[in-house]
Amino acid sequence: LKVTCPQPPTLSAKMASPEEIAEMKQSLCPVIACCCFEYSLTCSYACSPVLMIAGKYVCCAGSLALDCPPCDCACVPPCSDDQGCCESTQKVCCCWAEHQCPPGPDIGIGICGFTCCRSSDDDGGSSADEYPQQLQMGQY
């Protein structure tokens, strides 16, 4: 009897890397974010994976997910700009929560889908630069 686990469409079958989490964060719509915490919603990653908990404490990182394999751990650099020294990320269906200490530039400030002060690699919200400039009367 051989049991195989199906691969999720977007994530590899190992612990979600910071790059994969950053890719997920591109699709997030922040409900509220303030430097060291973020609560967001996503539709495009609602089922990939359905449940995920990932964390980093100084130089140890690990994850649990409804995925195959279900858990993983790794040694990582003790402190980074994007993950800080301690980071926790949780995802249940379309709900996303992230906490980190010290605060890094990847969470920024956000509310109701709009973000600012966020590093460019994770810019999932809207900014004024994305909208076309208003023309003066008589200009086409």
Side-chain angles (χ1 to χ4, degrees), residues 20-107:
E20 290 171 321
I21 289 176
E23 181 183 327
M24 263 193 216
K25 288 180 72 173
Q26 293 287 336
S27 71
L28 296 180
C29 178
V31 175
I32 188 164
C34 188
C35 301
C36 62
F37 70 90
E38 176 176 358
Y39 298 100
S40 298
L41 299 173
T42 180
C43 290
S44 55
Y45 284 93
C47 295
S48 178
V50 174
L51 174 67
M52 177 190 81
I53 300 169
K56 172 188 182 287
Y57 181 73
V58 189
C59 60
C60 299
S63 70
L64 292 170
L66 287 180
D67 203 351
C68 200
C71 61
D72 200 2
C73 61
C75 291
V76 294
C79 208
S80 69
D81 288 340
D82 286 340
Q83 292 184 298
C85 296
C86 300
E87 180 184 52
S88 171
T89 303
Q90 303 86 31
K91 183 187 155 311
V92 177
C93 296
C94 62
C95 299
W96 173 279
E98 181 177 2
H99 308 89
Q100 71 178 207
C101 181
D106 65 321
I107 292 179

Coordinates of all heavy atoms in Angstrom, one line a residue, residues 20-107:
E20 N 7.9 32.4 -0.3 CA 6.5 31.9 -0.6 C 5.5 32.6 0.2 O 4.4 32.9 -0.2 CB 6.4 30.4 -0.3 CG 7.2 29.5 -1.3 CD 7.3 28.1 -0.9 OE1 7.5 27.8 0.3 OE2 7.2 27.2 -1.8
I21 N 5.9 33.0 1.5 CA 5.0 33.8 2.3 C 4.8 35.2 1.7 O 3.7 35.7 1.7 CB 5.5 33.8 3.8 CG1 5.3 32.4 4.4 CG2 4.8 34.9 4.6 CD1 5.8 32.3 5.8
A22 N 5.9 35.7 1.2 CA 5.9 37.1 0.6 C 5.0 37.0 -0.7 O 4.2 37.9 -0.9 CB 7.3 37.5 0.2
E23 N 5.0 35.9 -1.4 CA 4.1 35.7 -2.6 C 2.7 35.6 -2.2 O 1.8 36.3 -2.8 CB 4.5 34.4 -3.3 CG 3.7 34.2 -4.6 CD 4.0 32.9 -5.2 OE1 5.2 32.5 -5.2 OE2 3.1 32.3 -5.8
M24 N 2.4 34.9 -1.1 CA 1.0 34.9 -0.5 C 0.6 36.3 -0.1 O -0.6 36.6 -0.4 CB 1.0 34.0 0.7 CG 0.5 32.6 0.5 SD 0.2 31.9 2.1 CE 0.8 30.2 1.8
K25 N 1.5 37.0 0.5 CA 1.1 38.3 1.0 C 0.7 39.3 -0.1 O 0.1 40.3 0.1 CB 2.2 38.9 1.9 CG 2.4 38.2 3.2 CD 3.5 38.8 4.0 CE 3.1 40.1 4.5 NZ 4.1 40.7 5.5
Q26 N 1.2 39.0 -1.3 CA 0.8 39.9 -2.5 C -0.7 39.9 -2.7 O -1.2 40.9 -3.2 CB 1.5 39.4 -3.8 CG 3.0 39.6 -3.7 CD 3.4 41.0 -3.9 OE1 2.7 41.9 -4.4 NE2 4.6 41.3 -3.4
S27 N -1.4 38.8 -2.3 CA -2.8 38.7 -2.6 C -3.6 39.1 -1.4 O -4.9 39.0 -1.4 CB -3.1 37.2 -3.0 OG -3.0 36.4 -1.8
L28 N -3.0 39.6 -0.3 CA -3.8 39.9 0.9 C -4.4 41.3 0.8 O -3.9 42.2 0.2 CB -2.8 39.9 2.1 CG -2.2 38.6 2.5 CD1 -1.3 38.8 3.7 CD2 -3.2 37.5 2.8
C29 N -5.6 41.3 1.4 CA -6.3 42.6 1.6 C -6.3 42.9 3.1 O -7.1 42.3 3.8 CB -7.7 42.5 1.0 SG -8.7 43.9 1.3
P30 N -5.5 43.8 3.5 CA -5.4 44.1 5.0 C -6.7 44.6 5.6 O -7.2 45.6 5.1 CB -4.2 45.1 5.1 CG -3.9 45.5 3.8 CD -4.6 44.7 2.8
V31 N -7.1 44.0 6.7 CA -8.2 44.5 7.4 C -7.6 45.6 8.4 O -8.1 46.7 8.4 CB -8.9 43.4 8.2 CG1 -10.0 44.0 9.1 CG2 -9.5 42.4 7.3
I32 N -6.5 45.2 9.0 CA -5.8 46.2 9.8 C -4.3 45.7 10.0 O -4.1 44.5 10.1 CB -6.4 46.4 11.2 CG1 -5.7 47.6 12.0 CG2 -6.4 45.1 12.1 CD1 -6.5 48.1 13.1
A33 N -3.4 46.6 9.9 CA -2.0 46.3 10.0 C -1.3 47.5 10.7 O -1.6 48.7 10.3 CB -1.4 46.1 8.6
C34 N -0.4 47.3 11.6 CA 0.3 48.4 12.2 C 1.7 47.9 12.7 O 1.9 47.5 13.8 CB -0.5 48.9 13.4 SG 0.2 50.4 14.1
C35 N 2.6 47.9 11.7 CA 4.0 47.7 12.0 C 4.4 46.3 12.5 O 5.1 45.6 11.9 CB 4.6 48.8 12.9 SG 4.5 50.4 12.2
C36 N 3.9 45.9 13.7 CA 4.3 44.6 14.2 C 3.1 43.6 14.1 O 3.3 42.4 14.5 CB 4.7 44.8 15.7 SG 3.5 45.4 16.8
F37 N 2.0 43.9 13.6 CA 0.9 42.9 13.5 C 0.1 43.3 12.2 O 0.0 44.4 11.8 CB 0.0 42.9 14.7 CG -0.9 44.1 14.9 CD1 -2.2 44.1 14.3 CD2 -0.5 45.2 15.6 CE1 -3.0 45.3 14.4 CE2 -1.3 46.3 15.8 CZ -2.5 46.3 15.2
E38 N -0.5 42.2 11.7 CA -1.4 42.4 10.5 C -2.5 41.3 10.5 O -2.2 40.1 10.8 CB -0.6 42.2 9.2 CG -1.4 42.2 7.9 CD -0.5 42.1 6.7 OE1 0.7 42.1 6.8 OE2 -1.1 42.1 5.6
Y39 N -3.7 41.7 10.2 CA -4.8 40.8 10.1 C -5.4 41.1 8.7 O -5.8 42.3 8.4 CB -5.9 41.0 11.2 CG -5.3 40.7 12.5 CD1 -4.9 41.8 13.4 CD2 -5.2 39.4 13.0 CE1 -4.4 41.5 14.6 CE2 -4.6 39.1 14.2 CZ -4.3 40.2 15.1 OH -3.7 39.9 16.3
S40 N -5.4 40.1 7.8 CA -5.8 40.3 6.4 C -6.7 39.2 6.0 O -6.9 38.2 6.6 CB -4.6 40.4 5.5 OG -3.8 41.4 5.9
L41 N -7.3 39.4 4.7 CA -8.1 38.4 4.1 C -7.5 38.1 2.7 O -6.9 38.9 2.1 CB -9.5 38.9 3.9 CG -10.2 39.2 5.2 CD1 -11.6 39.9 4.9 CD2 -10.5 38.0 6.0
T42 N -7.6 36.8 2.3 CA -7.2 36.4 0.9 C -8.2 35.5 0.3 O -8.7 34.6 1.1 CB -5.8 35.8 0.9 OG1 -5.5 35.4 -0.4 CG2 -5.7 34.6 1.8
C43 N -8.5 35.6 -0.9 CA -9.4 34.6 -1.6 C -8.5 33.7 -2.5 O -8.8 32.5 -2.5 CB -10.4 35.4 -2.5 SG -11.6 36.2 -1.5
S44 N -7.5 34.2 -3.1 CA -6.7 33.4 -4.0 C -5.9 32.2 -3.3 O -5.6 31.2 -3.9 CB -5.8 34.2 -4.8 OG -5.0 35.0 -4.0
Y45 N -5.6 32.4 -2.0 CA -4.9 31.3 -1.3 C -5.8 30.7 -0.2 O -5.3 30.2 0.8 CB -3.6 31.9 -0.6 CG -2.5 32.1 -1.7 CD1 -2.4 33.3 -2.3 CD2 -1.7 31.1 -2.0 CE1 -1.4 33.5 -3.2 CE2 -0.7 31.2 -2.9 CZ -0.5 32.5 -3.5 OH 0.5 32.7 -4.4
A46 N -7.1 30.8 -0.3 CA -8.0 30.3 0.8 C -7.8 28.8 1.0 O -7.9 28.4 2.1 CB -9.5 30.6 0.4
C47 N -7.5 28.0 0.0 CA -7.4 26.6 0.2 C -6.0 26.1 -0.1 O -5.8 24.9 -0.3 CB -8.3 25.9 -0.8 SG -10.1 26.2 -0.4
S48 N -5.0 26.9 -0.1 CA -3.6 26.5 -0.4 C -2.6 27.1 0.6 O -2.0 28.1 0.3 CB -3.3 26.9 -1.8 OG -2.0 26.6 -2.1
P49 N -2.4 26.5 1.7 CA -3.1 25.4 2.4 C -4.3 26.0 3.2 O -4.3 27.2 3.4 CB -2.1 24.8 3.3 CG -1.2 25.9 3.7 CD -1.2 26.8 2.4
V50 N -5.2 25.1 3.6 CA -6.4 25.6 4.3 C -6.0 26.1 5.7 O -6.5 27.1 6.2 CB -7.5 24.5 4.4 CG1 -8.6 24.9 5.3 CG2 -8.0 24.1 3.1
L51 N -5.1 25.4 6.3 CA -4.6 25.8 7.7 C -3.1 25.8 7.7 O -2.4 24.8 7.2 CB -5.1 24.7 8.7 CG -4.6 24.9 10.1 CD1 -5.1 26.2 10.8 CD2 -5.0 23.7 11.0
M52 N -2.5 26.8 8.2 CA -1.0 26.9 8.2 C -0.6 27.8 9.5 O -1.3 28.8 9.7 CB -0.5 27.6 7.0 CG 1.0 27.8 7.0 SD 1.7 28.9 5.7 CE 1.3 30.5 6.4
I53 N 0.4 27.3 10.2 CA 1.0 28.0 11.3 C 2.5 28.0 11.0 O 3.0 26.9 10.9 CB 0.6 27.5 12.6 CG1 -0.9 27.5 12.9 CG2 1.3 28.2 13.7 CD1 -1.3 26.7 14.1
A54 N 3.1 29.1 10.9 CA 4.6 29.2 10.7 C 5.1 30.2 11.7 O 4.5 31.2 12.1 CB 4.9 29.6 9.3
G55 N 6.3 29.9 12.2 CA 6.9 30.8 13.1 C 8.4 30.7 13.1 O 9.0 29.8 12.6
K56 N 9.0 31.8 13.7 CA 10.4 31.9 13.8 C 10.7 32.5 15.2 O 10.1 33.5 15.6 CB 11.0 32.8 12.8 CG 12.4 33.2 12.9 CD 12.8 34.2 11.8 CE 14.2 34.6 11.9 NZ 14.6 35.4 12.9
Y57 N 11.6 31.8 15.9 CA 12.1 32.4 17.2 C 13.6 32.4 17.2 O 14.2 31.3 17.2 CB 11.5 31.6 18.4 CG 12.0 32.1 19.7 CD1 11.4 33.3 20.2 CD2 12.9 31.5 20.5 CE1 11.8 33.8 21.4 CE2 13.3 32.0 21.7 CZ 12.8 33.2 22.2 OH 13.2 33.7 23.4
V58 N 14.2 33.5 17.0 CA 15.6 33.7 16.9 C 16.2 32.9 15.8 O 16.0 33.3 14.6 CB 16.4 33.5 18.2 CG1 17.8 33.9 18.1 CG2 15.7 34.3 19.4
C59 N 16.8 31.7 16.0 CA 17.4 31.0 14.9 C 16.6 29.7 14.6 O 17.1 28.9 13.7 CB 18.9 30.7 15.2 SG 19.1 29.7 16.6
C60 N 15.5 29.5 15.2 CA 14.7 28.3 14.9 C 13.4 28.7 14.2 O 12.7 29.6 14.6 CB 14.3 27.6 16.2 SG 15.7 27.0 17.1
A61 N 13.1 28.0 13.1 CA 11.8 28.3 12.4 C 11.1 26.9 12.2 O 11.7 25.9 12.0 CB 12.2 28.9 11.0
G62 N 9.8 27.0 12.1 CA 9.0 25.8 12.0 C 7.6 26.1 11.4 O 7.2 27.3 11.4
S63 N 7.0 25.1 10.9 CA 5.6 25.3 10.4 C 4.8 24.0 10.6 O 5.3 22.9 10.7 CB 5.6 25.7 9.0 OG 6.0 24.6 8.2
L64 N 3.5 24.2 10.7 CA 2.5 23.1 10.7 C 1.5 23.5 9.7 O 1.1 24.7 9.6 CB 1.8 23.0 12.1 CG 2.7 22.5 13.3 CD1 1.9 22.7 14.6 CD2 3.0 21.1 13.1
A65 N 1.0 22.6 8.9 CA 0.0 22.9 7.9 C -0.8 21.6 7.5 O -0.3 20.5 7.7 CB 0.7 23.5 6.6
L66 N -2.0 21.9 7.0 CA -2.7 20.8 6.4 C -2.2 20.6 5.0 O -2.7 21.1 4.0 CB -4.2 21.1 6.4 CG -5.0 21.1 7.7 CD1 -6.4 21.4 7.5 CD2 -4.8 19.7 8.4
D67 N -1.0 19.9 5.0 CA -0.2 19.8 3.8 C 0.6 18.5 3.9 O 0.5 17.8 4.9 CB 0.7 21.0 3.7 CG 1.2 21.3 2.3 OD1 0.9 20.5 1.4 OD2 1.8 22.4 2.1
C68 N 1.4 18.2 3.0 CA 2.2 17.0 3.1 C 3.6 17.4 2.8 O 3.9 17.8 1.7 CB 1.7 15.9 2.1 SG 2.2 14.3 2.6
P69 N 4.6 17.3 3.7 CA 4.5 16.8 5.0 C 3.8 17.9 5.9 O 3.9 19.1 5.6 CB 5.9 16.6 5.4 CG 6.7 17.6 4.6 CD 6.0 17.6 3.3
P70 N 3.2 17.5 7.0 CA 2.4 18.4 7.8 C 3.3 19.4 8.7 O 2.8 20.4 9.1 CB 1.5 17.5 8.7 CG 2.3 16.2 8.7 CD 3.0 16.1 7.4
C71 N 4.5 19.0 9.0 CA 5.3 19.9 9.8 C 6.8 19.9 9.3 O 7.2 19.0 8.6 CB 5.3 19.4 11.3 SG 5.9 17.8 11.6
D72 N 7.5 20.9 9.6 CA 8.8 21.1 9.2 C 9.5 22.1 10.2 O 8.9 22.9 10.8 CB 8.9 21.6 7.8 CG 10.2 21.4 7.1 OD1 11.1 20.7 7.7 OD2 10.4 21.8 6.0
C73 N 10.9 22.0 10.2 CA 11.6 22.9 11.0 C 13.0 23.2 10.3 O 13.4 22.4 9.5 CB 11.8 22.4 12.5 SG 12.7 20.9 12.6
A74 N 13.6 24.3 10.7 CA 14.8 24.7 10.0 C 15.6 25.7 10.9 O 15.0 26.3 11.8 CB 14.6 25.3 8.7
C75 N 16.9 25.8 10.6 CA 17.7 26.8 11.3 C 17.8 28.0 10.3 O 18.0 27.8 9.1 CB 19.1 26.3 11.6 SG 19.1 25.0 12.8
V76 N 17.6 29.2 10.9 CA 17.6 30.4 10.0 C 18.5 31.5 10.7 O 18.8 31.3 11.9 CB 16.1 30.9 9.9 CG1 15.3 30.0 9.1 CG2 15.5 31.2 11.2
P77 N 18.8 32.5 10.0 CA 19.6 33.6 10.6 C 18.8 34.2 11.8 O 17.6 34.2 11.8 CB 19.7 34.6 9.5 CG 19.6 33.9 8.3 CD 18.6 32.8 8.6
P78 N 19.4 34.6 12.9 CA 18.7 35.0 14.1 C 17.8 36.2 14.0 O 16.8 36.3 14.6 CB 19.8 35.3 15.1 CG 21.1 35.3 14.4 CD 20.9 34.6 13.1
C79 N 18.2 37.1 13.1 CA 17.4 38.3 13.0 C 17.5 38.9 11.5 O 18.5 38.9 11.0 CB 17.8 39.4 14.0 SG 16.5 40.5 14.5
S80 N 16.3 39.2 11.0 CA 16.3 39.8 9.6 C 15.4 40.9 9.5 O 14.5 41.1 10.4 CB 16.0 38.7 8.6 OG 14.6 38.3 8.7
D81 N 15.5 41.8 8.5 CA 14.6 42.9 8.3 C 13.2 42.5 8.1 O 12.3 43.1 8.6 CB 15.1 43.8 7.1 CG 16.4 44.5 7.4 OD1 16.7 44.7 8.6 OD2 17.0 45.0 6.5
D82 N 13.0 41.5 7.3 CA 11.6 41.1 7.0 C 10.9 40.2 8.1 O 9.7 40.2 8.2 CB 11.5 40.3 5.7 CG 11.7 41.3 4.5 OD1 11.5 42.5 4.6 OD2 12.1 40.8 3.4
Q83 N 11.7 39.4 8.8 CA 11.1 38.5 9.8 C 11.4 39.0 11.3 O 10.8 38.4 12.2 CB 11.6 37.1 9.6 CG 11.1 36.5 8.3 CD 11.5 35.0 8.2 OE1 12.7 34.8 8.2 NE2 10.6 34.1 8.2
G84 N 12.3 39.9 11.5 CA 12.7 40.3 12.8 C 13.3 39.1 13.6 O 13.9 38.2 12.9
C85 N 13.3 39.2 14.9 CA 13.9 38.1 15.7 C 12.8 37.0 16.0 O 13.1 35.8 16.2 CB 14.5 38.6 17.0 SG 15.8 39.7 16.7
C86 N 11.6 37.4 16.1 CA 10.5 36.5 16.4 C 9.3 36.9 15.4 O 9.0 38.0 15.2 CB 10.0 36.7 17.8 SG 11.2 36.4 19.0
E87 N 8.8 35.9 14.8 CA 7.7 36.1 13.8 C 6.7 34.9 14.0 O 7.1 33.8 14.2 CB 8.2 36.2 12.4 CG 7.1 36.4 11.4 CD 7.5 36.4 10.0 OE1 8.2 35.5 9.6 OE2 7.2 37.4 9.3
S88 N 5.4 35.2 13.8 CA 4.4 34.2 13.8 C 3.4 34.5 12.7 O 3.0 35.6 12.6 CB 3.7 34.2 15.2 OG 2.6 33.4 15.2
T89 N 3.1 33.5 11.9 CA 2.1 33.7 10.8 C 1.1 32.6 10.9 O 1.5 31.4 11.0 CB 2.9 33.6 9.5 OG1 3.9 34.6 9.4 CG2 1.9 33.8 8.3
Q90 N -0.2 32.9 10.9 CA -1.2 31.9 10.9 C -2.2 32.2 9.8 O -2.5 33.3 9.4 CB -2.0 32.0 12.2 CG -1.2 31.9 13.5 CD -0.6 33.2 14.0 OE1 -1.2 34.2 13.8 NE2 0.5 33.1 14.6
K91 N -2.7 31.1 9.2 CA -3.7 31.2 8.1 C -4.7 30.1 8.3 O -4.4 29.0 8.5 CB -3.0 31.0 6.7 CG -3.9 31.2 5.6 CD -3.2 30.9 4.3 CE -4.2 30.5 3.2 NZ -5.1 29.5 3.6
V92 N -6.0 30.5 8.3 CA -7.1 29.6 8.4 C -8.1 30.0 7.3 O -8.6 31.2 7.3 CB -7.8 29.7 9.7 CG1 -9.0 28.7 9.7 CG2 -6.9 29.3 10.9
C93 N -8.2 29.2 6.3 CA -9.0 29.5 5.1 C -8.6 30.8 4.5 O -7.5 30.9 4.0 CB -10.5 29.4 5.4 SG -11.1 27.8 5.9
C94 N -9.4 31.8 4.5 CA -9.1 33.1 3.9 C -8.6 34.1 4.9 O -8.3 35.3 4.5 CB -10.3 33.7 3.2 SG -11.7 34.0 4.2
C95 N -8.4 33.7 6.2 CA -8.0 34.7 7.2 C -6.5 34.5 7.5 O -6.0 33.4 7.6 CB -8.7 34.4 8.5 SG -10.5 34.7 8.4
W96 N -5.8 35.7 7.5 CA -4.3 35.7 7.7 C -4.0 36.6 8.9 O -4.5 37.7 9.0 CB -3.7 36.3 6.4 CG -2.3 36.5 6.5 CD1 -1.6 37.6 7.0 CD2 -1.2 35.7 5.9 NE1 -0.3 37.5 6.9 CE2 0.0 36.3 6.2 CE3 -1.2 34.5 5.2 CZ2 1.2 35.8 5.8 CZ3 0.0 33.9 4.8 CH2 1.2 34.6 5.1
A97 N -3.1 36.1 9.7 CA -2.6 36.9 10.9 C -1.1 36.8 10.9 O -0.5 35.7 10.7 CB -3.2 36.4 12.2
E98 N -0.4 37.9 11.2 CA 1.0 37.9 11.3 C 1.5 38.8 12.4 O 0.9 39.9 12.5 CB 1.7 38.3 9.9 CG 3.2 38.4 10.0 CD 3.8 38.7 8.6 OE1 3.1 39.1 7.7 OE2 5.0 38.8 8.6
H99 N 2.4 38.4 13.2 CA 3.0 39.2 14.3 C 4.5 39.1 14.2 O 5.0 38.0 13.9 CB 2.5 38.7 15.6 CG 1.0 38.5 15.7 ND1 0.4 37.4 15.3 CD2 0.1 39.4 16.0 CE1 -0.9 37.5 15.5 NE2 -1.2 38.8 15.9
Q100 N 5.2 40.1 14.5 CA 6.7 40.1 14.5 C 7.2 41.1 15.5 O 6.6 42.1 15.7 CB 7.3 40.2 13.1 CG 7.2 41.5 12.5 CD 7.9 41.6 11.1 OE1 8.3 42.6 10.7 NE2 8.0 40.5 10.4
C101 N 8.4 40.7 16.0 CA 9.1 41.6 16.9 C 10.6 41.5 16.6 O 11.1 40.4 16.5 CB 8.8 41.2 18.3 SG 9.6 42.2 19.6
P102 N 11.4 42.5 16.5 CA 10.9 43.9 16.4 C 10.2 44.1 15.1 O 10.3 43.4 14.1 CB 12.2 44.7 16.4 CG 13.2 43.8 15.9 CD 12.8 42.4 16.3
P103 N 9.3 45.2 15.0 CA 8.6 45.5 13.8 C 9.5 45.6 12.6 O 10.6 46.2 12.7 CB 7.8 46.8 14.1 CG 7.9 46.9 15.5 CD 9.1 46.2 16.0
G104 N 9.1 45.1 11.4 CA 9.9 45.2 10.2 C 9.1 46.0 9.2 O 8.0 46.3 9.3
P105 N 9.8 46.3 8.0 CA 9.1 47.1 7.0 C 8.1 46.3 6.1 O 7.4 46.9 5.4 CB 10.3 47.5 6.1 CG 11.3 46.4 6.3 CD 11.1 46.0 7.7
D106 N 8.0 45.0 6.3 CA 7.1 44.2 5.4 C 5.7 44.3 5.8 O 4.8 44.0 5.0 CB 7.6 42.8 5.3 CG 7.6 42.0 6.6 OD1 7.9 42.6 7.6 OD2 7.2 40.8 6.5
I107 N 5.3 44.6 7.1 CA 3.9 44.7 7.5 C 3.4 46.1 7.2 O 2.3 46.3 6.6 CB 3.7 44.3 9.0 CG1 4.0 42.8 9.1 CG2 2.3 44.7 9.4 CD1 3.9 42.3 10.5

